[in-house]
Amino acid sequence: KNHLDTYKVDYALLTGLSVYGASVWPDVDYGAALCSAFNDYTIEHWLEKDDRLRFAIAICTQDPASAVKEIERLEDHPQVVGVLMPTGAPKPFGNRFYDPIYSACQERGLVPTLHLGTEGLATVGAPTAAGWPSYYVESRLARPSVYQAHLASFIFHGTFEKYPKLKVAILECGIGWVPSFIWQMDSDWKALRYQTPWVKCLPSEYVKKHVRFNSQPLVEPPGPGPVEDILKWMHAEETLMFGSDFPHFDFDEPSQAFKRLEPELRQRILSGNAFDLFNFNKNTKSLG
């Protein structure tokens, strides 16, 4: 009523917060059980009540065996389109430790979906390389470094060479950092490619083909120009998805997002790219 109806949203992806910590607790059996219970609860109380909802299921990322079992258990549900991977982790996500998860996702057409939420918890170290922040605002500003570590790991461990059909979603870290980091990866790869001979092409090419970002928090400088440049540099017509982050205090209203853009590009960002990535009409009728 307050979001989907108000803004005439056809599809929404649920990325529930309640069990992010289950991925980093030392007791992986309990973590896996809690993820399963949370998934069942979400299916019963959310998915079964609204056909517009889609779901990135919770898994215990630090126990790939149980994660694969959970993927297999729920793979046939028509509203399950992704697998949620909280970004605080003992190992960056390109590490071969996680390969069973990516193999299961590629085989079933599911999207590993990265979301912040476990930095500094349980088995994870301090949330920044400089230690512990004092205030939430500091944690927010440190978010790009978390995603940069995972993105570089995906590229330089060769995840997308091993799983050429896999696509990954990066949520809730804005977009201002994306072009410069991609340029830096390209530059460093050219200088250090002898260390990772399995990386067959420029990192930017892997990003364009395999990685999708969402826009939240949507921070726009005053006046036209800079945002349009960022969108061009990151190939937003293919790589960028709108994210509202509803119902958080800083959620972005779909009606106000990217209003200065040409209609075709705005449509790709607001709906087309996410629709293609997550296959929102999987086994169901399109809602139009």
Side-chain angles (χ1 to χ4, degrees), residues 70-87:
E70 188 67 2
I71 291 169
E72 292 173 343
R73 185 174 77 91
L74 297 176
E75 63 176 296
D76 292 329
H77 195 288
Q79 290 165 276
V80 170
V81 297
V83 172
L84 196 68
M85 300 184 69
T87 54

Side-chain angles (χ1 to χ4, degrees), residues 21-171:
S23 277
V24 297
W25 291 337
D27 186 346
V28 294
D29 292 322
Y30 181 65
L34 187 59
C35 287
S36 293
F38 175 78
N39 291 335
D40 289 342
Y41 180 93
T42 301
I43 291 170
E44 178 182 355
H45 292 275
W46 290 88
L47 302 189
E48 291 181 0
K49 298 183 184 302
D50 198 319
D51 289 338
R52 294 172 294 184
L53 299 178
R54 299 296 181 267
F55 186 31
I57 61 171
I59 59 169
C60 181
T61 59
Q62 300 314 310
D63 183 25
S66 72
V68 170
K69 287 182 180 179
E70 188 67 2
I71 291 169
E72 292 173 343
R73 185 174 77 91
L74 297 176
E75 63 176 296
D76 292 329
H77 195 288
Q79 290 165 276
V80 170
V81 297
V83 172
L84 196 68
M85 300 184 69
T87 54
K91 302 178 183 68
F93 284 155
N95 191 290
R96 69 187 67 178
F97 173 81
Y98 303 101
D99 280 358
I101 296 173
Y102 304 139
S103 178
C105 285
Q106 176 176 262
E107 183 179 344
R108 294 158 178 84
L110 299 176
V111 180
T113 303
L114 279 59
H115 197 295
L116 293 139
T118 49
E119 296 71 35
L121 297 182
T123 58
V124 180
T128 80
W132 292 86
S134 299
Y135 306 106
Y136 176 53
V137 65
E138 295 176 87
S139 297
R140 287 173 66 92
L141 293 171
R143 287 174 176 178
S145 65
V146 178
Y147 278 120
Q148 288 167 7
H150 287 303
L151 182 54
S153 183
F154 278 125
I155 299 297
F156 295 111
H157 279 82
T159 302
F160 302 125
E161 286 291 336
K162 290 183 282 188
Y163 305 104
K165 295 181 180 180
L166 189 72
K167 292 187 177 180
V168 172
I170 287 179
L171 307 187

Side-chain angles (χ1 to χ4, degrees), residues 213 215 231 236-243 257-258 261 263-274:
F213 305 89
S215 58
L231 299 181
E237 70 280 1
E238 298 178 57
T239 66
L240 183 59
M241 309 175 294
F242 171 75
F258 299 108
L261 299 185
E264 183 177 353
L265 177 56
R266 188 169 188 259
Q267 188 276 331
R268 289 302 306 171
I269 294 172
L270 287 182
S271 61
N273 289 333

